[in-house]
Amino acid sequence: MIQLSEVITQLKSRNAKRIAVQLPEGLKRQAAEISRALKEEGFDVLISGDACWGACDLSLDALEWADVLVHVGHTPVTPEKNVIYLPFQQDIPLEILESAVPQLKKYASVGVTTTIQHAHQTKAICRWLNEHGVNAVIGEGSSRTPLDGQVLGCTYASAKNANAEAYLFIGTGVFHAIGVSLATKKPTFSLDPFADGILQEVSADRLLRKRFAQIEKAKSAKTFGILLSSKSGQARRELAERLATLNENATVILIREISEMQLRNLGFDAYVNTACPRLALDDQSRFPVPVLSPAEFEIVLGKRSWDDYVIDEILP
Ligand code: SF4
């Protein structure tokens, strides 16, 4: 549910007149309603129509027109002046945890993790599990994930901070749960509150087999494009520049939207992704050549062993 009242108070206290609003793809349909509500309060409104998947991609160019950018759906990943964040919260009924209790009780401690929609409930989830005999704990957040227990596809700091024997991820899909499992190397369970509500242990084996195949394929590459994002919270310039020094045929490419067509047009034999870490893991099947993570590139070059595989995270 999107609550505008607090944002309106903040906008008025800043004496803002012109407001730009940015929504992620899943919430864009609410643009007209938000615009109407803000106009009723006397603001001029501009909606950012570009695609957006996270607070890593702020529409800062809109601030050339607006006094303040209201970014809906996420917590901040980088400190920005004149940006107000309006996270999207979605309550889950705690009873869905019941089916998970017998399995989770087997572990000395269970770290509770979730995405931003449910992160306001982590304390309540933890309390409920404690009352039902599970030693649930919550790890402290980080500058990219300010809420305790919150994880992003690029940052699992709160999971690692929980230092638990096993982990529970509550949320949609298994991507984040696999990320927690790879980042912590501990048994990890996922519970989708909006699907069947059945606890399942996740395994990263299938993903790792696919990544291994891409690493093997990239070993015959003669040229490497090091993808450096120009998005506000994805730009890892130092990392891209360091990676480019590892191979004489590696070149840094500054790029905003990474698409199959762009990679094909650029024509490198393989790419190394320093932008959103999900890209290489989620979208590889769309790309014409291997798109490696930084650690995978080091494995290709013989500077890291496969046993030392780590998931790519954007760390503070
Ligand atoms: Fe999400 Fe990727 Fe942005 Fe991280 S970098 S916040 S995973 S879109």
Side-chain angles (χ1 to χ4, degrees), residues 8 13 76 114 148 169 228 232 245 283 289 296-297 300 305:
I8 287 169
S13 73
T114 187
D148 294 347
F169 170 77
L228 168 61
S232 55
T245 65
D283 295 347
V289 294
E296 290 168 351
F297 183 46
V300 166
S305 78

Side-chain angles (χ1 to χ4, degrees), residues 19-52:
I19 315 302
V21 179
Q22 182 180 31
L23 299 118
E25 298 314 286
L27 297 176
K28 276 216 167 44
R29 289 287 172 108
Q30 305 206 26
E33 194 185 323
I34 290 174
S35 173
R36 183 189 51 75
L38 290 174
K39 282 179 177 173
E40 276 176 13
E41 294 290 331
F43 299 110
D44 292 335
V45 179
L46 173 82
I47 300 289
S48 167
D50 291 326
C52 168

